[in-house]
Amino acid sequence: MTNIVVLVKQVPDTNAKIVFNGESVDLSAVKMVTSPYDEFAIETALQHKESSGGTVTALTVGGSGADKILKDAKAMGVDNIVRVWGDGFETLDSNSFQSVLSGVLSELGADVVYCGKSSADLGSGSTGPGVAEKLGWASVSNIVSASFGDGLTVTAPADGGNAVVNVSLPAIISCDKGDLKPRKPNVRGIMMAKKAQVDVREASAPASTVTLVSQTPPPAKPAGKTYEGGQSAAEVAKLLRDEANVL
Amino acid sequence: MSEVTVIAEITNGKLNPATAELVTAASALGGDVVVVVPCTDASVADAASAYSNVSRVVAAKSSVFANYDASGWAEAIDAVSPAGNLVFLASAQSKDLAARLASKRGISVVQDVVEISGNNLTSPIYSGKAFQTVAISTTAVISVRANVFSPSPSDGDASMSVVDATGNVKSAIKELIGRASERLDVAEANIIISGGRGMGSPDNFKHLEVIADTIGAAVGASRAAVDTWDDIPHSMQVGQTGKTVNPNLYIAVGISGAIQHLAGMRSSKYIVAINKDADAPIFQYADYGIVASWEDALPVLQSTFSEMF
Ligand SMILES: Cc1cc2nc3c(=O)[nH]c(=O)nc-3n(C[C@H](O)[C@H](O)[C@H](O)COP(=O)(O)OP(=O)(O)OC[C@H]3O[C@@H](n4cnc5c(N)ncnc54)[C@H](O)[C@@H]3O)c2cc1C
Ligand SMILES: Nc1ncnc2c1ncn2[C@@H]1O[C@H](COP(=O)(O)O)[C@@H](O)[C@H]1O
């Protein structure tokens, strides 16, 4: 019985316009969704279970609003849904956040953890390797495929191409898009998800040493130049060399 | 004075020139700059002692560094790096390693830094739709985007020591699969020319390849191109669910400029767009926009480049 956990995070829809309230982003009017790479992680976790048996638990660290993405994961077919939250969790730095996650993963008794390559909001790609280090586990990041025959074998980018890697468990694997298509929930899954109870747990975190100063719109770019017609490509090519200095 | 450590970026067995940019970033954080070079053969580190503003170079020699294993590399680098801030390049592999090292030392990591001002670090968030500044109050590990900081000049003469490093490897490479083409990968290239659905067919990507070969660029693609045509592999995809790239020059051909595509390339230093629709959103982000069909523009671009190169 493999105890499989998949990490999911709620983020603004990638189509959403980001608006600001003073020096911070204002997400109050934004539609929230599962971070896109996490859907590949869910799919990989479900395939792992289908191949070797076990259970899949979707885990998020988030406020009550994040119950929705847990239910979406349930509709796709995960067995259990767990949400962790605690005081001051809105502003955890990577070390504090990863401490929380590694504590919960030990509590859950996970054998293998799948997560996204990076979250669509902060997008640092630190969670998988960081949590693995705290637990003393193996990790492989940005995998494009996985197979579950004899132990876990994954394919990930390496210098000059891809490497096929055997990973010893326990391990945390972060998922890139690869060739997978995350499954769509079926009617039964959607019904199950409606009735599902979120297992809500409390946790506490060590103090953060990195603090937020401001969130601002990207620096404005000077307006570009526009040219009409294919012949203008010659002028642009020269400007790239003489004005932009990039050739 | 305390020390700040640059972890040199090694690409295909050589010191990546972007390491000189990391030296500048490290100086901005403050402290004597130490460059640690993970290597299997210490001669790789020679080039690093020529960087200016470096107090010493440590060639960390280990068989562990023959193939990437996050856990083993972090252990080996941790053992040879002094306390204090650590600076990595924000490449996929080094970001992974940066996260491991920070966690190992019980400190935090700040990735994709594009600006350093005292203890304040700025990185893009929401795929570049916003910028976030954080303050570090103690030591931290940071990764720095390429092509942002100017490279430290190379008229220095830092002392170099070679130390043996070791770490426990937790994964085993079964097989290395080389890329099908010899062409540069978009994640490594300083110039990228990408095609979208507007290219009409995968065969037409050969026009992009010719230009790429002329100017030393990688060829990328939009998701619509990757999803529509089997011949265009996902490894070429730029964007939210593809690669995030940060080249000096990004040329988008027949790409509309959807928000998810922009997410992967909007921080490019210069953007050129070729699109027959003057209202295509990509033009709002282009430094140089060419309103024309690629059939008209690419031959002119190619012949001008061939004269220049
Ligand atoms: C969760 C999610 C993740 C996504 N991730 C990505 C991603 O990683 N990367 C990505 O690219 N997209 C991504 N997308 C898809 C994105 O929304 C767009 O659908 C996609 O980028 C469109 O690709 P395109 O610009 O090639 O095609 P189109 O939008 O169809 O644009 C084609 C363009 O070509 C122009 N054109 C046509 N013929 C010619 C000609 N002869 N000469 C010149 N121009 C011509 C047209 O005017 C048009 O502007 C994602 C979407 C979602 C929902
Ligand atoms: N708050 C969170 N709760 C659960 N999983 C998370 C959370 N934040 C990040 N993750 C997981 O870690 C991955 C990488 O996130 P990041 O390190 O923020 O780029 C995400 O794709 C998720 O799978």
Side-chain angles (χ1 to χ4, degrees), chain B residues 18 21 89 144-150 189-190 246-249 269:
Chain B
E21 300 169 17
L89 185 68
V144 172
R145 285 266 178 106
N147 300 325
V148 175
F149 292 87
S150 53
N190 252 327
N246 197 34
N248 273 327
L249 172 60
K269 206 165 230 169

Side-chain angles (χ1 to χ4, degrees), chain A residues 72-142:
Chain A
D72 290 345
K74 178 80 188 172
M76 280 174 76
V78 308
D79 302 291
N80 311 308
I81 47 181
V82 179
R83 180 168 64 79
V84 180
W85 198 234
D87 278 346
F89 275 25
E90 293 84 1
T91 54
L92 298 181
D93 65 9
S94 73
N95 185 53
S96 315
F97 170 69
Q98 290 165 14
S99 301
V100 170
L101 261 183
S102 55
V104 182
L105 289 171
S106 307
E107 208 175 284
L108 290 171
D111 298 312
V112 59
V113 176
Y114 293 97
C115 67
K117 152 181 154 167
S118 69
S119 55
D121 51 358
L122 304 181
S124 83
S126 306
T127 304
V131 173
E133 182 64 40
K134 293 222 181 307
L135 293 165
W137 293 5
S139 66
V140 180
S141 295
N142 311 333

Side-chain angles (χ1 to χ4, degrees), chain A residues 14 16 37 94 121 126 130 133-134 137 139 141 159 162 164 166 209 211 213-216 225 227 229 243, chain B residues 12 96 100 103-104 108-109 111 126 129 131-133 135 137 170 172 174-175 177 240 260 287-289 291:
Chain A
T14 56
Y37 289 113
S94 73
D121 51 358
S126 306
E133 182 64 40
K134 293 222 181 307
W137 293 5
S139 66
S141 295
D159 247 9
N162 276 331
V164 183
N166 289 331
T209 59
T211 48
V213 175
S214 65
Q215 294 170 326
T216 50
K225 300 179 186 168
Y227 300 84
E243 185 178 77
Chain B
N12 297 322
D96 188 55
R100 273 262 174 189
S103 179
K104 188 170 209 70
S108 273
V109 60
Q111 307 271 25
Y126 300 103
K129 287 189 261 183
F131 275 58
Q132 173 164 291
T133 301
S137 59
K170 289 198 162 73
K174 243 174 73 175
E175 191 189 349
I177 309 171
Q240 182 90 49
Q260 296 91 350
D287 301 279
Y288 302 102
V291 183

Side-chain angles (χ1 to χ4, degrees), chain A residues 12-18 20 25 27 36-37 40 93-96 98 117 120-126 129-134 136-142 144 153 155 158-168 176-179 208-219 221-234 236-241 243-244 246-247, chain B residues 10-13 70-71 74 92-93 95-96 99-100 102-104 106-112 120 124-140 170-179 188 191 215 223 226-227 234 237 239-243 248-249 251 259-260 266 268-272 278 283 285-292 296-297 300-301 304-305 308-309:
Chain A
D13 187 335
T14 56
N15 276 313
K17 189 168 155 37
I18 298 294
F20 297 84
V25 300
L27 300 178
Y37 289 113
F40 302 110
D93 65 9
S94 73
N95 185 53
S96 315
Q98 290 165 14
K117 152 181 154 167
D121 51 358
L122 304 181
S124 83
S126 306
V131 173
E133 182 64 40
K134 293 222 181 307
W137 293 5
S139 66
V140 180
S141 295
N142 311 333
V144 291
T153 303
T155 306
D159 247 9
N162 276 331
V164 183
V165 182
N166 289 331
V167 199
S168 60
D176 197 345
K177 174 169 180 274
D179 303 323
S208 293
T209 59
V210 176
T211 48
L212 181 62
V213 175
S214 65
Q215 294 170 326
T216 50
K221 254 191 140 172
K225 300 179 186 168
T226 308
Y227 300 84
E228 299 281 337
Q231 287 305 322
S232 62
V236 170
K238 291 186 186 117
L239 288 170
L240 288 173
R241 181 188 57 190
E243 185 178 77
V246 287
L247 290 179
Chain B
I10 307 296
T11 307
N12 297 322
S71 170
Q93 180 174 305
K95 283 176 66 177
D96 188 55
R100 273 262 174 189
S103 179
K104 188 170 209 70
I107 55 182
S108 273
V109 60
V110 183
Q111 307 271 25
D112 295 300
N120 284 3
I125 56 170
Y126 300 103
S127 314
K129 287 189 261 183
F131 275 58
Q132 173 164 291
T133 301
V134 297
I136 51 173
S137 59
T138 56
T139 46
K170 289 198 162 73
S171 62
I173 298 221
K174 243 174 73 175
E175 191 189 349
L176 278 168
I177 309 171
R179 263 196 292 281
E188 293 161 10
I191 305 179
I215 60 176
R223 170 150 154 190
V226 170
D227 285 355
H234 176 250
Q237 185 180 318
Q240 182 90 49
T241 42
K243 289 181 176 133
N248 273 327
L249 172 60
I251 307 177
I259 194 90
Q260 296 91 350
R266 64 188 286 168
S268 306
K269 206 165 230 169
Y270 282 89
I271 296 171
V272 173
F283 285 124
Y285 299 86
D287 301 279
Y288 302 102
I290 300 174
V291 183
D296 287 345
V300 178
L301 196 62
T304 317
F305 281 151
M308 286 164 46
F309 280 83

